[in-house]
Amino acid sequence: MYRLLFICLFVVLSCKEEKPEKQYTLAEKIANAHGFKNWDSVTEFQFTFNVDTDSTNFGRSWIWKPKANKVTMLTAKDTIVYNTFKVEQESLNADRAFINDKYWALLPFQLIWDTSATLSEPIKSQAPISKKQLNKVTLTYPVKGGYTPGDAYDIFYNDDFIIQEWVFREANAKEPSMINTFENYKEFNGIKIAQDHKKETGSWNLNFTDIKIITQ
């Protein structure tokens, strides 16, 4: 009798302990594969955005404190500090540049942050540069609002949800405006960042250096 009661009690407790697994959206799966679950503990993100070719180099550095909504832009000519919740006219160009550079660095997280954008259903497709069969999803922005309204991005990712390439289509045009790789991934305090973004031909390379992620 006691043995039967013990078995019944064990079954009841086991049932109570079982929790249904969270069903992640595609955006969450891609973001989490790049370390999004660790972002809540980030207090400072430092990086330098570079575009290198055979003959030229362009670079600007950033210090972003997301919890304080504070951004610092450092260039050879100037240093600008502003609050992302209150962008004044004098910091408008800096904010435009920051949104662009941050987007390249943290594209997987933008899938979560940019709630106004729509994400298509994934399909299998040949990646434009590597020619590999990858998963493809299209991120489309509304035609109004933001710095680049109506733009679209075809994002190619592997079965581990790591982004490999993308196609940028300005104003959702049919023809590509830019095609780049996402490569040379490195992890910084649990955040995976593709440090290099190259075109299929030529020496053009948009890349990130001086990356530092500080957590609390």
Side-chain angles (χ1 to χ4, degrees), residues 4-214:
L4 180 60
L5 287 172
F6 176 77
I7 293 173
C8 292
L9 181 61
F10 177 78
V11 171
V12 171
L13 290 174
S14 298
C15 291
K16 286 185 177 180
E17 289 175 0
E18 290 181 5
K19 295 181 180 179
E21 289 188 15
K22 176 177 171 55
Q23 298 299 309
Y24 291 104
T25 65
L26 176 58
E28 290 171 330
K29 289 177 182 178
I30 295 173
N32 288 339
H34 294 80
F36 185 69
K37 291 182 178 180
N38 299 307
W39 182 258
D40 281 346
S41 63
V42 173
T43 58
E44 189 170 310
F45 178 29
Q46 303 176 15
F47 64 96
T48 298
F49 172 94
N50 310 281
V51 179
D52 296 323
T53 66
D54 278 335
S55 57
T56 63
N57 169 268
F58 168 80
R60 56 192 171 210
S61 298
W62 300 95
I63 301 172
W64 178 26
K65 297 182 178 181
K67 295 186 183 300
N69 304 307
K70 182 180 178 182
V71 170
T72 302
M73 181 181 77
L74 303 100
T75 68
K77 296 180 178 180
D78 207 357
T79 297
I80 296 176
V81 182
Y82 70 96
N83 189 298
T84 56
F85 272 2
K86 190 178 181 181
V87 180
E88 306 289 352
Q89 187 64 37
E90 59 269 20
S91 58
L92 190 62
N93 287 336
D95 186 61
R96 187 188 298 272
F98 172 67
I99 294 299
N100 175 80
D101 299 0
K102 171 178 69 76
Y103 197 93
W104 280 91
L106 300 176
L107 170 64
F109 300 174
Q110 298 294 156
L111 302 181
I112 302 292
W113 291 336
D114 294 346
T115 55
S116 64
T118 58
L119 200 63
S120 71
E121 290 297 319
I123 61 171
K124 284 287 185 179
S125 182
Q126 185 183 76
I129 295 179
S130 67
K131 309 305 180 187
K132 293 180 180 179
Q133 284 292 315
L134 295 173
N135 304 291
K136 172 188 172 184
V137 68
T138 298
L139 182 69
T140 308
Y141 286 84
V143 294
K144 293 183 179 181
Y147 290 132
T148 54
D151 289 348
Y153 300 83
D154 301 318
I155 299 168
F156 295 82
Y157 61 95
N158 63 23
D159 290 339
D160 293 323
F161 300 98
I162 300 297
I163 296 174
Q164 306 291 296
E165 300 178 25
W166 77 354
V167 175
F168 164 58
R169 294 183 288 110
E170 187 176 3
N172 203 6
K174 289 184 179 181
E175 294 301 317
S177 304
M178 182 179 287
I179 303 174
N180 298 97
T181 63
F182 278 63
E183 57 184 283
N184 191 17
Y185 275 94
K186 187 175 179 180
E187 192 168 305
F188 302 87
N189 268 338
I191 309 291
K192 286 183 181 178
I193 296 177
Q195 297 174 105
D196 291 293
H197 304 271
K198 300 176 182 180
K199 295 182 179 180
E200 186 171 15
T201 59
S203 61
W204 192 95
N205 181 17
L206 187 154
N207 60 90
F208 294 93
T209 56
D210 309 315
I211 299 172
K212 186 176 182 181
I213 293 180
I214 300 172

